[in-house]
Amino acid sequence: MPHVDTDLTLTPVGHVSSPLTDRAAAPRQGSEGAPEAWLVFEPAYHAALDGLRPGDRIIVLTWLHQASREVLRTRPRDDPANPETGVFATRSPDRPNPVGLHPVEILQVTGRRLRVGGMEAVDGTPILDVKPVLGSPPGA
């Protein structure tokens, strides 16, 4: 087995500003009625936003800070009718490394803030990174 450096350090680049404050009441996916939210970036990362435009589709990577890191099995969508499944086969926020993946559209760019549609992350969720959706032309 090759040696893997397990000393990882992640630095949030910003946070989500959202009307969602209760994890239990938040939609499970952005397409399930999630509200608009603001992605607020730290001043040190302002230059990294250069080139992002309204209409761009991006993937926001977050740290699901309210998640349990001890959960290895769950019932998909918390439905008792579903069999227990390993978390790696689900989109459960509770998992060993609770990284959130949020495909959203940029609605507005204002300084260090991006207003996005359909963001299911709760208020205060740390942002780890932003990446463009491949095949989505800038500004399209």
Side-chain angles (χ1 to χ4, degrees):
M1 175 183 243
H3 172 71
V4 177
D5 183 3
T6 58
D7 182 22
L8 300 174
T9 302
L10 297 174
T11 303
V13 297
H15 69 275
V16 176
S17 178
S18 170
L20 298 174
T21 57
D22 179 13
R23 175 184 160 186
R28 297 192 183 270
Q29 299 295 321
S31 62
E32 297 176 349
E36 294 178 1
W38 285 95
L39 309 180
V40 182
F41 294 86
E42 297 296 327
Y45 302 103
H46 187 200
L49 300 173
D50 187 35
L52 294 176
R53 305 279 181 265
D56 289 351
R57 302 268 319 149
I58 58 173
I59 297 172
V60 181
L61 298 164
T62 62
W63 188 259
L64 302 173
H65 63 298
Q66 295 182 6
S68 169
R69 296 184 71 179
E70 290 76 38
V71 174
L72 299 180
R73 295 177 60 77
T74 188
R75 295 187 187 279
R77 301 191 69 83
D78 289 328
D79 184 342
N82 288 329
E84 275 200 0
T85 305
V87 295
F88 294 158
T90 75
R91 294 291 304 266
S92 172
D94 297 318
R95 54 199 320 114
N97 288 307
V99 174
L101 180 72
H102 314 270
V104 296
E105 180 179 343
I106 299 174
L107 304 175
Q108 181 180 354
V109 178
T110 304
R112 296 183 293 111
R113 297 166 28 107
L114 303 178
R115 185 169 57 93
V116 298
M119 183 76 172
E120 76 279 16
V122 297
D123 191 55
T125 299
I127 300 169
L128 300 177
D129 204 351
V130 171
K131 296 180 180 273
V133 171
L134 295 178
S136 177

